[in-house]
Amino acid sequence: MKRMHCLAAVLALSGSLAHAANSIDLSSYTVTGNYALDRLGTLGLEASAITYARDRNSLFFVGDEGEGVVEVSLTGQTLSSMRFSGWPAATRHNDAEGLTYLGGGMLVVAEERLQDAFLFSYVPGGSVSLASAPWASISDYGYANNGIEGISYDPRDGSFVSVKQDSPLEVRAGTLSFAAGGGISTMTPLFDASALGLSTLSDVQTLSPIDALAGTAAADNLLVLSLGSRMLLEIDRAGNTLSRFDLSGITSQAIEGVTVDELGRIYLVAEDSGTPNSRLFVLSPVPEPDTWAMMLVGLAGMGYRLRRRKA
């Protein structure tokens, strides 16, 4: 009987890993965490973007008032914060809607209406004037409240992916070279994003940081978040939908940001939307990545014991 259970586990694991070569399969995910984020006066209100810092084992988020960035644990406890002391005079709203982590304490924040991305070094308790920070323009559709809603860094080659909210919907990819006074951008649309069937685009996340996807086709895939459709999609870079997760049953709050860690766990932030706090939600595959790792160790040990018996 034990051998039958182990065989079933081996088959299940093999199927999971084979599927992971093409998709992480969002239908296998479930909500495993729901945490309130501190208000910090107004710094932590209206959480609009989130990013994972592997070398710090923490998360960063910004609110769409653009007052600064907050570092939190993977369960939402505040660790530190940093204020933005200024934005370029060209923006009247300081509308921070995109955030991504490059490593080594370096972050990029995107302003929706300017459609520009700003590079800065995180200093706990410090401040940075974005008016003088190196920056690059992602796109230019005129100053309006339907611009850049998300940005994500691909650590494999240093490129970026961004999404535009609507009019038109866009998923762009390319490089950003940051410089004082404005750098160089090669960001261009990947496909016709209207074909995704989403009413808006609210954030994007590359899947290449997930360790189990290294060297597979799925490492090229993207997570695309839609607040308007209350949906999270996994897509390839041609715009084909590979899997989806319906967010409508999670919360009535507006979910606006998404990121992933190296184990494939997904982190979402929702703005307060009239409630006391913004919130952090965690989605994990079932069984969770740690469970698969323990099964692998156990199966390796079982194989060794069987070989010893035969010898």
Side-chain angles (χ1 to χ4, degrees):
M1 183 61 71
K2 288 183 178 178
R3 289 186 180 181
M4 290 298 293
H5 286 312
C6 290
L7 177 59
V10 170
L11 292 174
L13 179 56
S14 299
S16 174
L17 293 178
H19 193 269
N22 299 307
S23 166
I24 62 170
D25 187 12
L26 291 174
S27 68
S28 71
Y29 277 69
T30 188
V31 178
T32 55
N34 179 353
Y35 310 101
L37 297 171
D38 290 336
R39 296 169 63 94
L40 302 176
T42 55
L43 184 63
L45 292 180
E46 298 185 72
S48 59
I50 187 170
T51 189
Y52 173 66
R54 180 170 185 162
D55 56 6
R56 302 169 74 99
N57 194 38
S58 65
L59 301 161
F60 290 96
F61 78 92
V62 291
D64 67 7
E65 297 303 315
E67 293 187 13
V69 61
V70 182
E71 182 179 19
V72 298
S73 72
L74 303 187
T75 53
Q77 287 82 27
T78 300
L79 302 176
S80 62
S81 63
M82 182 178 185
R83 290 195 171 270
F84 299 148
S85 62
W87 283 87
T91 176
R92 302 185 304 277
H93 297 277
N94 308 340
D95 204 351
E97 291 287 352
L99 186 70
T100 193
Y101 185 71
L102 309 190
M106 301 302 295
L107 287 157
V108 170
V109 62
E111 208 278 349
E112 177 179 10
R113 300 167 194 248
L114 293 179
Q115 299 156 67
D116 294 337
F118 302 85
L119 176 69
F120 66 97
S121 178
Y122 184 77
V123 179
S127 66
V128 57
S129 173
L130 296 180
S132 57
W135 63 278
S137 182
I138 298 171
S139 60
D140 184 10
Y141 280 99
Y143 189 83
N145 191 28
N146 58 6
I148 299 302
E149 284 285 325
I151 188 169
S152 184
Y153 178 68
D154 191 329
R156 296 176 302 175
D157 59 7
S159 64
F160 294 85
V161 181
S162 68
V163 290
K164 184 178 181 294
Q165 178 178 302
D166 57 38
S167 302
L169 299 170
E170 275 192 349
V171 179
R172 289 187 171 225
T175 60
L176 293 171
S177 177
F178 299 93
I184 299 172
S185 168
T186 67
M187 302 287 285
T188 55
L190 285 173
F191 52 85
D192 178 6
S194 65
L196 293 174
L198 301 173
S199 62
T200 61
L201 298 180
S202 304
D203 204 0
V204 64
Q205 172 63 49
T206 62
L207 293 186
S208 59
I210 300 176
D211 285 349
L213 302 186
T216 72
D220 284 332
N221 295 346
L222 308 170
L223 292 179
V224 173
L225 173 66
S226 173
L227 168 60
S229 298
R230 303 190 72 79
M231 186 67 64
L232 182 66
L233 297 185
E234 179 191 10
I235 65 171
D236 64 22
R237 298 207 179 200
N240 300 301
T241 297
L242 305 175
S243 65
R244 65 182 63 221
F245 190 99
D246 185 350
L247 301 171
S248 60
I250 292 182
T251 179
S252 61
Q253 294 174 236
I255 298 176
E256 293 205 32
V258 61
T259 192
V260 298
D261 67 16
E262 70 273 15
L263 295 178
R265 290 180 294 229
I266 298 171
Y267 302 88
L268 304 163
V269 286
E271 66 175 32
D272 33 300
S273 303
T275 64
N277 299 87
S278 296
R279 301 198 73 84
L280 169 69
F281 296 93
V282 184
L283 308 181
S284 302
V286 179
E288 292 191 52
D290 292 342
T291 303
W292 285 124
M294 288 187 288
M295 287 176 63
L296 281 171
V297 172
L299 290 169
M302 181 192 71
Y304 173 76
R305 289 193 296 273
L306 290 175
R307 289 194 299 272
R308 291 273 294 179
R309 286 181 186 176
K310 290 180 180 179

